[in-house]
Amino acid sequence: VLLEALNGSTTAIVTGGALARVGRASLVAVALAPLVTIVTFDVFYWWAGRLWGTQVAELYARNNPRAARWIDRAERLVRRGGIWTLAVGYYLPVPSALIYLSCGVSGMALGTFLLGDLIGLLLWEAMLISLGWAIGQPAVHVVNAIGHYSLVVTVGVIVLLITVGGLRRRRAAPDRTAR
């Protein structure tokens, strides 16, 4: 649940649903934890679109035809759908960041943006939490195994980096015994 609150990742939300299913987390906490983090990031994209949206779009579209198509598609979606585009934005085959930038470029009010984003986020979260709830205990076992082995691998990588750094520094140091 803490990981959900810190980064709001899809994996963390699904895991939170599984933990709620087995009684190791509150379903309400799992649902509320990622809201502030995710909405905050989305607002920054909206704000960036408000400030620099057209310049950024022109910069990307100038050298990349695929980016130009994605930007055009996102702008058309926002013009046609407005708040409803945000409500279903998590399910659309367009990067969400482009939709949020397009909302800023289009002049959508912050309150309208927040409402549409919150509706879409709650719909997306409900699906992910339901997936975790449906998987249940097997997902908890997988997460525990990943957690265990990731700690071992992380410690191993740190030891390896320190060792390699020490060896490189030792090789790079001038030979003082030759004097």
Side-chain angles (χ1 to χ4, degrees):
V1 175
L2 178 62
L3 183 60
E4 270 187 281
L6 293 176
N7 75 358
S9 72
T10 300
T11 308
I13 297 171
V14 172
T15 302
L19 290 172
R21 168 80 184 267
V22 298
R24 290 181 45 195
S26 162
L27 190 57
V28 172
V30 167
L32 294 179
L35 289 179
V36 172
T37 303
I38 295 172
V39 169
T40 301
F41 280 113
D42 296 350
V43 166
F44 279 114
Y45 282 112
W46 170 86
W47 187 34
R50 230 13 215 257
L51 296 176
W52 311 292
T54 52
Q55 294 93 339
V56 171
E58 289 170 3
L59 178 72
Y60 279 109
R62 186 177 331 138
N63 299 324
N64 189 343
R66 175 183 261 173
R69 285 192 307 271
W70 280 113
I71 291 167
D72 183 52
R73 186 177 296 163
E75 288 175 352
R76 277 187 284 127
L77 283 169
V78 169
R79 270 195 310 271
R80 275 191 274 149
I83 192 171
W84 300 111
T85 301
L86 285 169
V88 296
Y90 287 91
Y91 301 98
L92 294 175
V94 175
S96 298
L98 288 178
I99 293 173
Y100 307 146
L101 285 167
S102 296
C103 288
V105 169
S106 73
M108 182 181 285
L110 179 60
T112 305
F113 175 80
L114 286 173
L115 179 64
D117 190 39
L118 194 58
I119 291 169
L121 178 57
L122 289 173
L123 290 170
W124 180 251
E125 248 190 25
M127 184 192 72
L128 296 177
I129 291 170
S130 298
L131 177 63
W133 185 274
I135 297 171
Q137 189 63 43
V140 173
H141 287 307
V142 170
V143 168
N144 288 337
I146 290 171
H148 171 74
Y149 290 113
S150 67
L151 177 63
V152 172
V153 169
T154 302
V155 169
V157 168
I158 291 171
V159 168
L160 179 68
L161 289 174
I162 291 171
T163 304
V164 168
L167 290 173
R168 285 184 179 173
R169 191 175 357 189
R170 193 174 191 187
R171 286 184 194 152
D175 189 16
R176 296 174 196 255
T177 60
R179 291 184 192 177

Short mmCIF file of all heavy atoms in Angstrom, two decimals, residues 101-166:
data_model
loop_
_atom_site.label_atom_id
_atom_site.label_comp_id
_atom_site.label_asym_id
_atom_site.label_seq_id
_atom_site.Cartn_x
_atom_site.Cartn_y
_atom_site.Cartn_z
N LEU A 101 -1.57 16.55 -21.80
CA LEU A 101 -0.97 17.72 -22.44
C LEU A 101 -1.99 18.41 -23.35
O LEU A 101 -2.10 19.63 -23.38
CB LEU A 101 0.26 17.31 -23.25
CG LEU A 101 1.52 16.98 -22.46
CD1 LEU A 101 2.54 16.30 -23.36
CD2 LEU A 101 2.11 18.21 -21.83
N SER A 102 -2.74 17.60 -24.10
CA SER A 102 -3.75 18.16 -25.01
C SER A 102 -4.85 18.88 -24.24
O SER A 102 -5.39 19.88 -24.72
CB SER A 102 -4.36 17.06 -25.87
OG SER A 102 -3.38 16.49 -26.70
N CYS A 103 -5.18 18.38 -23.07
CA CYS A 103 -6.18 19.07 -22.24
C CYS A 103 -5.67 20.45 -21.84
O CYS A 103 -6.43 21.42 -21.84
CB CYS A 103 -6.50 18.25 -20.99
SG CYS A 103 -7.47 16.78 -21.31
N GLY A 104 -4.39 20.53 -21.51
CA GLY A 104 -3.82 21.83 -21.18
C GLY A 104 -3.78 22.76 -22.36
O GLY A 104 -4.11 23.94 -22.26
N VAL A 105 -3.38 22.23 -23.51
CA VAL A 105 -3.32 23.05 -24.74
C VAL A 105 -4.71 23.55 -25.11
O VAL A 105 -4.86 24.70 -25.54
CB VAL A 105 -2.70 22.23 -25.90
CG1 VAL A 105 -2.86 22.96 -27.22
CG2 VAL A 105 -1.25 21.93 -25.63
N SER A 106 -5.71 22.72 -24.96
CA SER A 106 -7.06 23.10 -25.37
C SER A 106 -7.69 24.15 -24.47
O SER A 106 -8.74 24.69 -24.78
CB SER A 106 -7.97 21.87 -25.40
OG SER A 106 -8.28 21.44 -24.08
N GLY A 107 -7.05 24.43 -23.32
CA GLY A 107 -7.59 25.43 -22.41
C GLY A 107 -8.60 24.88 -21.43
O GLY A 107 -9.34 25.65 -20.80
N MET A 108 -8.65 23.56 -21.26
CA MET A 108 -9.58 22.95 -20.31
C MET A 108 -9.29 23.48 -18.90
O MET A 108 -8.14 23.57 -18.49
CB MET A 108 -9.43 21.42 -20.34
CG MET A 108 -10.39 20.69 -19.41
SD MET A 108 -10.16 18.90 -19.45
CE MET A 108 -10.91 18.49 -21.01
N ALA A 109 -10.33 23.82 -18.19
CA ALA A 109 -10.18 24.34 -16.83
C ALA A 109 -9.62 23.25 -15.91
O ALA A 109 -9.89 22.06 -16.11
CB ALA A 109 -11.52 24.83 -16.30
N LEU A 110 -8.87 23.67 -14.90
CA LEU A 110 -8.25 22.71 -13.98
C LEU A 110 -9.31 21.88 -13.26
O LEU A 110 -9.15 20.67 -13.12
CB LEU A 110 -7.36 23.44 -12.97
CG LEU A 110 -6.68 22.55 -11.94
CD1 LEU A 110 -5.78 21.52 -12.61
CD2 LEU A 110 -5.87 23.40 -10.96
N GLY A 111 -10.38 22.49 -12.83
CA GLY A 111 -11.44 21.75 -12.14
C GLY A 111 -12.06 20.67 -13.02
O GLY A 111 -12.29 19.55 -12.58
N THR A 112 -12.31 21.02 -14.26
CA THR A 112 -12.86 20.05 -15.22
C THR A 112 -11.86 18.93 -15.44
O THR A 112 -12.23 17.75 -15.47
CB THR A 112 -13.17 20.74 -16.55
OG1 THR A 112 -14.04 21.85 -16.30
CG2 THR A 112 -13.82 19.80 -17.53
N PHE A 113 -10.59 19.28 -15.59
CA PHE A 113 -9.54 18.28 -15.78
C PHE A 113 -9.48 17.34 -14.59
O PHE A 113 -9.42 16.12 -14.75
CB PHE A 113 -8.18 18.96 -15.99
CG PHE A 113 -7.06 17.98 -16.08
CD1 PHE A 113 -6.80 17.30 -17.26
CD2 PHE A 113 -6.26 17.71 -14.98
CE1 PHE A 113 -5.78 16.38 -17.34
CE2 PHE A 113 -5.23 16.80 -15.04
CZ PHE A 113 -4.98 16.13 -16.23
N LEU A 114 -9.48 17.89 -13.38
CA LEU A 114 -9.40 17.05 -12.17
C LEU A 114 -10.59 16.12 -12.05
O LEU A 114 -10.43 14.94 -11.70
CB LEU A 114 -9.30 17.93 -10.93
CG LEU A 114 -7.96 18.62 -10.71
CD1 LEU A 114 -8.05 19.60 -9.54
CD2 LEU A 114 -6.87 17.60 -10.47
N LEU A 115 -11.77 16.61 -12.36
CA LEU A 115 -12.97 15.76 -12.29
C LEU A 115 -12.88 14.60 -13.28
O LEU A 115 -13.08 13.44 -12.91
CB LEU A 115 -14.23 16.59 -12.56
CG LEU A 115 -15.55 15.81 -12.52
CD1 LEU A 115 -15.79 15.25 -11.13
CD2 LEU A 115 -16.69 16.70 -12.97
N GLY A 116 -12.56 14.90 -14.53
CA GLY A 116 -12.45 13.84 -15.54
C GLY A 116 -11.34 12.86 -15.22
O GLY A 116 -11.50 11.65 -15.36
N ASP A 117 -10.20 13.37 -14.75
CA ASP A 117 -9.08 12.51 -14.42
C ASP A 117 -9.42 11.62 -13.23
O ASP A 117 -9.08 10.43 -13.22
CB ASP A 117 -7.84 13.36 -14.12
CG ASP A 117 -6.59 12.52 -14.01
OD1 ASP A 117 -6.43 11.56 -14.80
OD2 ASP A 117 -5.76 12.82 -13.14
N LEU A 118 -10.09 12.17 -12.24
CA LEU A 118 -10.46 11.37 -11.06
C LEU A 118 -11.45 10.28 -11.42
O LEU A 118 -11.33 9.14 -10.96
CB LEU A 118 -11.04 12.30 -9.99
CG LEU A 118 -11.16 11.70 -8.60
CD1 LEU A 118 -9.81 11.22 -8.08
CD2 LEU A 118 -11.74 12.72 -7.64
N ILE A 119 -12.42 10.59 -12.28
CA ILE A 119 -13.38 9.56 -12.72
C ILE A 119 -12.64 8.45 -13.46
O ILE A 119 -12.84 7.26 -13.18
CB ILE A 119 -14.47 10.18 -13.62
CG1 ILE A 119 -15.38 11.10 -12.81
CG2 ILE A 119 -15.29 9.09 -14.31
CD1 ILE A 119 -16.31 11.95 -13.66
N GLY A 120 -11.77 8.82 -14.40
CA GLY A 120 -11.02 7.82 -15.15
C GLY A 120 -10.10 7.00 -14.25
O GLY A 120 -10.00 5.78 -14.40
N LEU A 121 -9.45 7.66 -13.31
CA LEU A 121 -8.55 6.96 -12.41
C LEU A 121 -9.30 5.97 -11.52
O LEU A 121 -8.84 4.84 -11.31
CB LEU A 121 -7.78 7.97 -11.55
CG LEU A 121 -6.83 7.39 -10.51
CD1 LEU A 121 -5.80 6.49 -11.17
CD2 LEU A 121 -6.16 8.51 -9.74
N LEU A 122 -10.45 6.37 -11.02
CA LEU A 122 -11.23 5.45 -10.17
C LEU A 122 -11.72 4.24 -10.97
O LEU A 122 -11.72 3.11 -10.45
CB LEU A 122 -12.40 6.19 -9.53
CG LEU A 122 -12.00 7.19 -8.43
CD1 LEU A 122 -13.22 7.99 -7.99
CD2 LEU A 122 -11.36 6.48 -7.25
N LEU A 123 -12.10 4.45 -12.23
CA LEU A 123 -12.51 3.32 -13.07
C LEU A 123 -11.33 2.37 -13.31
O LEU A 123 -11.47 1.14 -13.24
CB LEU A 123 -13.07 3.82 -14.40
CG LEU A 123 -14.41 4.53 -14.36
CD1 LEU A 123 -14.71 5.16 -15.71
CD2 LEU A 123 -15.50 3.56 -13.94
N TRP A 124 -10.17 2.95 -13.61
CA TRP A 124 -8.97 2.15 -13.86
C TRP A 124 -8.55 1.40 -12.61
O TRP A 124 -8.24 0.21 -12.64
CB TRP A 124 -7.85 3.08 -14.34
CG TRP A 124 -6.56 2.41 -14.65
CD1 TRP A 124 -5.41 2.49 -13.95
CD2 TRP A 124 -6.28 1.55 -15.76
NE1 TRP A 124 -4.42 1.75 -14.54
CE2 TRP A 124 -4.95 1.15 -15.66
CE3 TRP A 124 -7.05 1.08 -16.82
CZ2 TRP A 124 -4.34 0.31 -16.59
CZ3 TRP A 124 -6.45 0.24 -17.73
CH2 TRP A 124 -5.11 -0.13 -17.61
N GLU A 125 -8.55 2.10 -11.49
CA GLU A 125 -8.19 1.48 -10.21
C GLU A 125 -9.13 0.35 -9.85
O GLU A 125 -8.70 -0.69 -9.36
CB GLU A 125 -8.25 2.53 -9.10
CG GLU A 125 -6.94 2.89 -8.54
CD GLU A 125 -7.10 3.74 -7.30
OE1 GLU A 125 -8.14 3.69 -6.61
OE2 GLU A 125 -6.16 4.46 -7.02
N ALA A 126 -10.42 0.54 -10.08
CA ALA A 126 -11.40 -0.51 -9.77
C ALA A 126 -11.09 -1.78 -10.55
O ALA A 126 -11.16 -2.89 -10.02
CB ALA A 126 -12.81 -0.02 -10.08
N MET A 127 -10.72 -1.62 -11.82
CA MET A 127 -10.37 -2.78 -12.62
C MET A 127 -9.12 -3.47 -12.08
O MET A 127 -9.07 -4.70 -11.94
CB MET A 127 -10.16 -2.39 -14.08
CG MET A 127 -9.90 -3.58 -14.99
SD MET A 127 -9.32 -3.11 -16.61
CE MET A 127 -7.68 -2.56 -16.28
N LEU A 128 -8.09 -2.69 -11.75
CA LEU A 128 -6.83 -3.28 -11.27
C LEU A 128 -6.99 -3.94 -9.90
O LEU A 128 -6.47 -5.04 -9.66
CB LEU A 128 -5.74 -2.22 -11.22
CG LEU A 128 -5.33 -1.62 -12.56
CD1 LEU A 128 -4.30 -0.53 -12.35
CD2 LEU A 128 -4.82 -2.68 -13.51
N ILE A 129 -7.71 -3.28 -9.01
CA ILE A 129 -7.93 -3.86 -7.69
C ILE A 129 -8.76 -5.13 -7.81
O ILE A 129 -8.50 -6.13 -7.14
CB ILE A 129 -8.61 -2.83 -6.75
CG1 ILE A 129 -7.63 -1.70 -6.44
CG2 ILE A 129 -9.09 -3.49 -5.47
CD1 ILE A 129 -8.25 -0.51 -5.73
N SER A 130 -9.74 -5.12 -8.70
CA SER A 130 -10.55 -6.33 -8.93
C SER A 130 -9.70 -7.48 -9.46
O SER A 130 -9.90 -8.63 -9.08
CB SER A 130 -11.68 -6.04 -9.91
OG SER A 130 -12.54 -5.07 -9.39
N LEU A 131 -8.76 -7.15 -10.33
CA LEU A 131 -7.85 -8.19 -10.83
C LEU A 131 -7.03 -8.79 -9.69
O LEU A 131 -6.91 -10.00 -9.58
CB LEU A 131 -6.93 -7.60 -11.90
CG LEU A 131 -5.87 -8.53 -12.48
CD1 LEU A 131 -6.51 -9.71 -13.18
CD2 LEU A 131 -4.95 -7.76 -13.41
N GLY A 132 -6.47 -7.94 -8.86
CA GLY A 132 -5.72 -8.43 -7.70
C GLY A 132 -6.59 -9.24 -6.76
O GLY A 132 -6.17 -10.27 -6.24
N TRP A 133 -7.81 -8.77 -6.55
CA TRP A 133 -8.75 -9.48 -5.68
C TRP A 133 -9.06 -10.86 -6.26
O TRP A 133 -9.13 -11.85 -5.53
CB TRP A 133 -10.02 -8.65 -5.54
CG TRP A 133 -11.02 -9.22 -4.59
CD1 TRP A 133 -11.97 -10.15 -4.85
CD2 TRP A 133 -11.16 -8.88 -3.21
NE1 TRP A 133 -12.70 -10.42 -3.73
CE2 TRP A 133 -12.23 -9.65 -2.70
CE3 TRP A 133 -10.50 -8.00 -2.36
CZ2 TRP A 133 -12.64 -9.57 -1.38
CZ3 TRP A 133 -10.92 -7.92 -1.04
CH2 TRP A 133 -11.97 -8.69 -0.56
N ALA A 134 -9.25 -10.93 -7.57
CA ALA A 134 -9.56 -12.21 -8.22
C ALA A 134 -8.39 -13.18 -8.14
O ALA A 134 -8.59 -14.39 -7.95
CB ALA A 134 -9.95 -11.98 -9.67
N ILE A 135 -7.18 -12.69 -8.27
CA ILE A 135 -6.01 -13.57 -8.20
C ILE A 135 -5.76 -14.02 -6.77
O ILE A 135 -5.50 -15.19 -6.52
CB ILE A 135 -4.76 -12.87 -8.79
CG1 ILE A 135 -4.98 -12.57 -10.26
CG2 ILE A 135 -3.52 -13.72 -8.59
CD1 ILE A 135 -3.91 -11.69 -10.88
N GLY A 136 -5.82 -13.09 -5.83
CA GLY A 136 -5.71 -13.42 -4.41
C GLY A 136 -4.37 -13.95 -3.97
O GLY A 136 -3.32 -13.39 -4.27
N GLN A 137 -4.39 -15.07 -3.25
CA GLN A 137 -3.20 -15.62 -2.61
C GLN A 137 -2.05 -15.95 -3.57
O GLN A 137 -0.90 -15.68 -3.23
CB GLN A 137 -3.58 -16.87 -1.80
CG GLN A 137 -2.45 -17.41 -0.93
CD GLN A 137 -2.03 -16.42 0.15
OE1 GLN A 137 -2.85 -15.79 0.80
NE2 GLN A 137 -0.73 -16.27 0.33
N PRO A 138 -2.29 -16.49 -4.76
CA PRO A 138 -1.16 -16.72 -5.67
C PRO A 138 -0.38 -15.43 -5.99
O PRO A 138 0.85 -15.47 -6.07
CB PRO A 138 -1.81 -17.29 -6.93
CG PRO A 138 -3.06 -17.93 -6.44
CD PRO A 138 -3.53 -17.07 -5.30
N ALA A 139 -1.07 -14.33 -6.13
CA ALA A 139 -0.38 -13.06 -6.39
C ALA A 139 0.46 -12.65 -5.19
O ALA A 139 1.57 -12.14 -5.34
CB ALA A 139 -1.38 -11.96 -6.72
N VAL A 140 -0.04 -12.89 -3.99
CA VAL A 140 0.71 -12.56 -2.77
C VAL A 140 1.98 -13.40 -2.71
O VAL A 140 3.05 -12.90 -2.36
CB VAL A 140 -0.17 -12.74 -1.51
CG1 VAL A 140 0.65 -12.57 -0.24
CG2 VAL A 140 -1.34 -11.77 -1.54
N HIS A 141 1.88 -14.69 -3.06
CA HIS A 141 3.08 -15.55 -3.07
C HIS A 141 4.12 -15.03 -4.06
O HIS A 141 5.31 -14.99 -3.75
CB HIS A 141 2.71 -17.00 -3.45
CG HIS A 141 2.00 -17.73 -2.36
ND1 HIS A 141 2.48 -17.84 -1.07
CD2 HIS A 141 0.84 -18.43 -2.37
CE1 HIS A 141 1.65 -18.54 -0.34
NE2 HIS A 141 0.63 -18.92 -1.11
N VAL A 142 3.68 -14.65 -5.24
CA VAL A 142 4.60 -14.12 -6.26
C VAL A 142 5.27 -12.84 -5.76
O VAL A 142 6.49 -12.67 -5.88
CB VAL A 142 3.88 -13.88 -7.60
CG1 VAL A 142 4.74 -13.11 -8.56
CG2 VAL A 142 3.45 -15.21 -8.21
N VAL A 143 4.49 -11.94 -5.19
CA VAL A 143 5.04 -10.68 -4.69
C VAL A 143 6.04 -10.93 -3.57
O VAL A 143 7.11 -10.30 -3.52
CB VAL A 143 3.91 -9.74 -4.22
CG1 VAL A 143 4.44 -8.57 -3.43
CG2 VAL A 143 3.11 -9.27 -5.41
N ASN A 144 5.74 -11.86 -2.68
CA ASN A 144 6.67 -12.17 -1.59
C ASN A 144 7.97 -12.75 -2.14
O ASN A 144 9.06 -12.41 -1.67
CB ASN A 144 6.04 -13.14 -0.59
CG ASN A 144 4.97 -12.47 0.24
OD1 ASN A 144 4.96 -11.25 0.41
ND2 ASN A 144 4.05 -13.26 0.77
N ALA A 145 7.87 -13.63 -3.14
CA ALA A 145 9.08 -14.20 -3.74
C ALA A 145 9.91 -13.13 -4.44
O ALA A 145 11.14 -13.08 -4.29
CB ALA A 145 8.71 -15.31 -4.74
N ILE A 146 9.25 -12.25 -5.17
CA ILE A 146 9.97 -11.16 -5.84
C ILE A 146 10.63 -10.26 -4.80
O ILE A 146 11.78 -9.86 -4.96
CB ILE A 146 9.01 -10.36 -6.75
CG1 ILE A 146 8.62 -11.19 -7.96
CG2 ILE A 146 9.65 -9.04 -7.20
CD1 ILE A 146 7.52 -10.58 -8.80
N GLY A 147 9.92 -9.95 -3.74
CA GLY A 147 10.48 -9.12 -2.68
C GLY A 147 11.71 -9.74 -2.04
O GLY A 147 12.72 -9.07 -1.81
N HIS A 148 11.65 -11.04 -1.79
CA HIS A 148 12.78 -11.74 -1.18
C HIS A 148 14.00 -11.73 -2.11
O HIS A 148 15.10 -11.36 -1.70
CB HIS A 148 12.39 -13.18 -0.85
CG HIS A 148 13.54 -14.02 -0.41
ND1 HIS A 148 14.13 -13.88 0.82
CD2 HIS A 148 14.23 -14.98 -1.07
CE1 HIS A 148 15.15 -14.74 0.91
NE2 HIS A 148 15.22 -15.42 -0.22
N TYR A 149 13.78 -12.15 -3.35
CA TYR A 149 14.91 -12.24 -4.27
C TYR A 149 15.42 -10.87 -4.72
O TYR A 149 16.59 -10.71 -5.01
CB TYR A 149 14.56 -13.11 -5.48
CG TYR A 149 14.43 -14.55 -5.08
CD1 TYR A 149 13.20 -15.20 -5.12
CD2 TYR A 149 15.53 -15.26 -4.61
CE1 TYR A 149 13.08 -16.52 -4.73
CE2 TYR A 149 15.42 -16.58 -4.21
CZ TYR A 149 14.19 -17.20 -4.27
OH TYR A 149 14.08 -18.50 -3.88
N SER A 150 14.54 -9.88 -4.78
CA SER A 150 15.01 -8.55 -5.17
C SER A 150 15.94 -7.97 -4.12
O SER A 150 16.90 -7.28 -4.45
CB SER A 150 13.85 -7.61 -5.44
OG SER A 150 13.15 -7.32 -4.25
N LEU A 151 15.70 -8.27 -2.85
CA LEU A 151 16.61 -7.81 -1.81
C LEU A 151 17.97 -8.46 -1.96
O LEU A 151 19.01 -7.79 -1.90
CB LEU A 151 16.03 -8.11 -0.42
CG LEU A 151 16.92 -7.74 0.77
CD1 LEU A 151 17.14 -6.24 0.79
CD2 LEU A 151 16.30 -8.22 2.06
N VAL A 152 17.99 -9.77 -2.20
CA VAL A 152 19.26 -10.48 -2.39
C VAL A 152 20.00 -9.95 -3.61
O VAL A 152 21.21 -9.69 -3.56
CB VAL A 152 18.99 -12.00 -2.52
CG1 VAL A 152 20.25 -12.75 -2.91
CG2 VAL A 152 18.42 -12.56 -1.23
N VAL A 153 19.30 -9.76 -4.71
CA VAL A 153 19.92 -9.26 -5.94
C VAL A 153 20.43 -7.83 -5.73
O VAL A 153 21.53 -7.48 -6.16
CB VAL A 153 18.94 -9.34 -7.13
CG1 VAL A 153 19.46 -8.59 -8.33
CG2 VAL A 153 18.67 -10.80 -7.48
N THR A 154 19.66 -6.99 -5.06
CA THR A 154 20.08 -5.62 -4.81
C THR A 154 21.35 -5.56 -3.98
O THR A 154 22.29 -4.83 -4.31
CB THR A 154 18.96 -4.83 -4.11
OG1 THR A 154 17.79 -4.86 -4.93
CG2 THR A 154 19.36 -3.40 -3.84
N VAL A 155 21.41 -6.34 -2.92
CA VAL A 155 22.62 -6.38 -2.10
C VAL A 155 23.80 -6.89 -2.92
O VAL A 155 24.91 -6.34 -2.86
CB VAL A 155 22.39 -7.25 -0.84
CG1 VAL A 155 23.70 -7.51 -0.11
CG2 VAL A 155 21.40 -6.57 0.09
N GLY A 156 23.58 -7.92 -3.75
CA GLY A 156 24.65 -8.44 -4.61
C GLY A 156 25.15 -7.40 -5.60
O GLY A 156 26.37 -7.27 -5.81
N VAL A 157 24.25 -6.65 -6.21
CA VAL A 157 24.65 -5.62 -7.17
C VAL A 157 25.44 -4.52 -6.47
O VAL A 157 26.45 -4.04 -7.00
CB VAL A 157 23.40 -5.05 -7.90
CG1 VAL A 157 23.74 -3.79 -8.66
CG2 VAL A 157 22.82 -6.10 -8.83
N ILE A 158 25.03 -4.13 -5.28
CA ILE A 158 25.76 -3.10 -4.54
C ILE A 158 27.16 -3.56 -4.20
O ILE A 158 28.14 -2.83 -4.39
CB ILE A 158 24.98 -2.68 -3.28
CG1 ILE A 158 23.72 -1.91 -3.69
CG2 ILE A 158 25.85 -1.85 -2.34
CD1 ILE A 158 22.77 -1.64 -2.55
N VAL A 159 27.29 -4.79 -3.73
CA VAL A 159 28.62 -5.34 -3.42
C VAL A 159 29.47 -5.40 -4.68
O VAL A 159 30.66 -5.03 -4.67
CB VAL A 159 28.50 -6.74 -2.75
CG1 VAL A 159 29.83 -7.45 -2.70
CG2 VAL A 159 27.90 -6.60 -1.37
N LEU A 160 28.89 -5.83 -5.80
CA LEU A 160 29.63 -5.90 -7.06
C LEU A 160 30.09 -4.51 -7.51
O LEU A 160 31.25 -4.34 -7.93
CB LEU A 160 28.75 -6.54 -8.14
CG LEU A 160 29.37 -6.67 -9.53
CD1 LEU A 160 30.50 -7.69 -9.49
CD2 LEU A 160 28.32 -7.07 -10.54
N LEU A 161 29.21 -3.52 -7.42
CA LEU A 161 29.59 -2.16 -7.82
C LEU A 161 30.70 -1.59 -6.95
O LEU A 161 31.62 -0.94 -7.45
CB LEU A 161 28.37 -1.25 -7.78
CG LEU A 161 27.31 -1.49 -8.85
CD1 LEU A 161 26.09 -0.62 -8.60
CD2 LEU A 161 27.88 -1.24 -10.23
N ILE A 162 30.64 -1.83 -5.67
CA ILE A 162 31.69 -1.35 -4.77
C ILE A 162 33.01 -2.03 -5.09
O ILE A 162 34.06 -1.39 -5.15
CB ILE A 162 31.28 -1.55 -3.30
CG1 ILE A 162 30.14 -0.60 -2.95
CG2 ILE A 162 32.48 -1.35 -2.36
CD1 ILE A 162 29.52 -0.86 -1.59
N THR A 163 32.97 -3.34 -5.34
CA THR A 163 34.18 -4.09 -5.67
C THR A 163 34.79 -3.60 -6.98
O THR A 163 36.00 -3.34 -7.06
CB THR A 163 33.87 -5.60 -5.75
OG1 THR A 163 33.28 -6.00 -4.51
CG2 THR A 163 35.11 -6.41 -6.02
N VAL A 164 33.99 -3.48 -8.01
CA VAL A 164 34.48 -3.03 -9.31
C VAL A 164 35.03 -1.61 -9.21
O VAL A 164 36.10 -1.30 -9.75
CB VAL A 164 33.38 -3.12 -10.39
CG1 VAL A 164 33.77 -2.40 -11.66
CG2 VAL A 164 33.05 -4.58 -10.68
N GLY A 165 34.34 -0.74 -8.50
CA GLY A 165 34.82 0.63 -8.31
C GLY A 165 36.16 0.66 -7.58
O GLY A 165 37.06 1.41 -7.95
N GLY A 166 36.30 -0.16 -6.56
CA GLY A 166 37.57 -0.23 -5.83
C GLY A 166 38.70 -0.74 -6.70
O GLY A 166 39.81 -0.22 -6.65
#
